[in-house]
Amino acid sequence: MISHRVGFVGLGLMGAPMAANIAKAGWSVTGWNRSDAAFEGLTGVRRAASVAELRDEDAIIFMLPDLPFIEGAAEDLLGSWRNQPPKPGTAVVIMSSVSPTAVQQFGTTLHEASSGNAVVMDAPVSGGTAGAQNGTLAIMVGATESGFQTLQPLLGAMGTTVRRMGPLGAGSLAKACNQLIVGTTTAALAEAAELAERSGMEVGALFDVLSGGLAGSRVLDIVGPRLAAKDYVPTGPAKFMHKDLGFVVSSAEAVGSAVPMAAAAIELYAELKRQGLGDQDLAVVRQTIANLSRAHAASANTN
């Protein structure tokens, strides 16, 4: 069993409420974030001056946008461990959405830097900011069985569905599959919304009736109201969906699996970024489709 001492790196829209929930569950949490503003109103989390200051915590959680950010933030930590290894059993938990293969490589790097005393586990999450705030995230874990059992109480402070998917990298692959479903479903709902509105139908009424049939889903329940209202205030930047779908495509290529839906969706979300919409909510994919629709109509009128 680990003690109740945890480090947390990355206190953004997701990380801050996750760290707060760990503190509420009785852990001693020390956090690091690049900007000072993250600590305003964040209770129960002591501030670290650097990531390296977390070197003696039993577990260190990283919640940054992608693995290159994590590698940069952990550089001084790994340097400290090379000079003086951490205690055996130290856990580094990657809760961001990252490449399944890259996180395995990071695990090897960290193992060598810590003289074998620290281990990486990947535990990406699903549930958005609401899930992070309410402690109801779904957490997909890549770890050994013993490592998972050790960390399960900690992860349970942040999520209600916590499951080991396999060894290191398996959690990230499960999250990639999750994003394939969320990204394509959101895009399909956005297309339906645009088609309905341009045909004179009220989008809210359409989504109401869809929710009562086979087309009903958690994505429709959560994202549907934002799509109908054209509410694109970010609960998480849409640009990250493009990154996550890239992990789907690369993972599929590695095992020879066809992913035609992912291939279409990654191009749509690339177009979203090209339109400068990447920092808005995932629901802004509806605006991307609206822009494409206008361009298509203008092209048809000139022919």
Side-chain angles (χ1 to χ4, degrees):
M1 294 291 291
I2 62 171
S3 74
H4 278 49
R5 292 180 55 85
V6 179
F8 204 110
V9 179
L11 300 169
L13 289 172
M14 295 287 291
M18 290 165 66
N21 282 330
I22 296 171
K24 289 176 186 176
W27 269 264
S28 174
V29 183
T30 303
W32 181 88
N33 195 72
R34 185 175 58 181
S35 64
D36 298 340
F39 290 90
E40 296 175 5
L42 183 60
T43 58
V45 180
R46 187 179 73 84
R47 184 176 182 181
S50 67
V51 176
E53 188 179 316
L54 305 174
R55 54 155 289 126
D56 295 321
E57 303 299 313
D58 297 287
I60 305 170
I61 294 170
F62 284 84
M63 191 63 180
L64 296 172
D66 199 357
L67 194 59
F69 293 89
I70 294 170
E71 291 171 330
E75 187 174 344
D76 290 343
L77 174 68
L78 268 59
S80 175
W81 283 349
R82 289 186 180 99
N83 292 330
Q84 181 182 346
K87 55 182 173 288
T90 299
V92 172
V93 187
I94 308 300
M95 301 195 76
S96 317
S97 298
V98 301
S99 161
T101 54
V103 77
Q104 292 172 336
Q105 294 165 1
F106 181 65
T108 300
T109 299
L110 185 135
H111 184 267
E112 294 172 350
S114 66
S115 298
N117 286 357
V119 63
V120 172
M121 304 177 189
D122 59 328
V125 304
S126 180
T129 53
Q133 292 162 0
N134 297 329
T136 57
L137 293 168
I139 305 177
M140 301 152 250
V141 185
T144 64
E145 181 61 36
S146 61
F148 173 69
Q149 293 299 332
T150 298
L151 280 184
Q152 196 168 18
L154 172 62
L155 299 175
M158 296 175 279
T160 50
T161 303
V162 182
R163 180 155 184 180
R164 176 179 178 265
M165 307 307 298
L168 178 63
S172 297
L173 179 58
K175 178 59 185 288
C177 293
N178 178 88
Q179 295 302 85
L180 168 60
I181 296 167
V182 172
T184 55
T185 303
T186 300
L189 289 169
E191 287 190 24
E194 278 299 299
L195 174 60
E197 186 172 279
R198 287 168 179 270
S199 303
M201 188 181 299
E202 202 270 306
V203 175
L206 172 65
F207 283 177
D208 281 344
V209 74
L210 292 181
S211 67
L214 191 58
S217 69
R218 288 288 300 278
V219 178
L220 175 55
D221 293 343
I222 294 171
V223 186
R226 297 202 294 269
L227 287 166
K230 301 181 183 179
D231 176 9
Y232 307 139
V233 176
T235 60
K239 62 187 176 185
F240 293 150
M241 182 56 71
H242 181 254
K243 174 201 70 162
D244 293 344
L245 289 169
F247 300 150
V248 175
V249 172
S250 60
S251 296
E253 288 174 348
V255 297
S257 181
V259 283
M261 295 294 289
I266 197 171
E267 177 53 35
L268 176 60
Y269 286 99
E271 174 63 23
L272 181 151
K273 291 171 62 179
R274 286 192 291 269
Q275 292 181 11
L277 303 174
D279 290 328
Q280 298 187 60
D281 189 79
L282 181 64
V284 82
V285 70
R286 179 177 177 184
Q287 184 61 52
T288 303
I289 292 168
N291 294 342
L292 289 171
S293 298
R294 281 194 290 270
H296 178 74
S299 176
N301 289 335
T302 59
N303 293 333

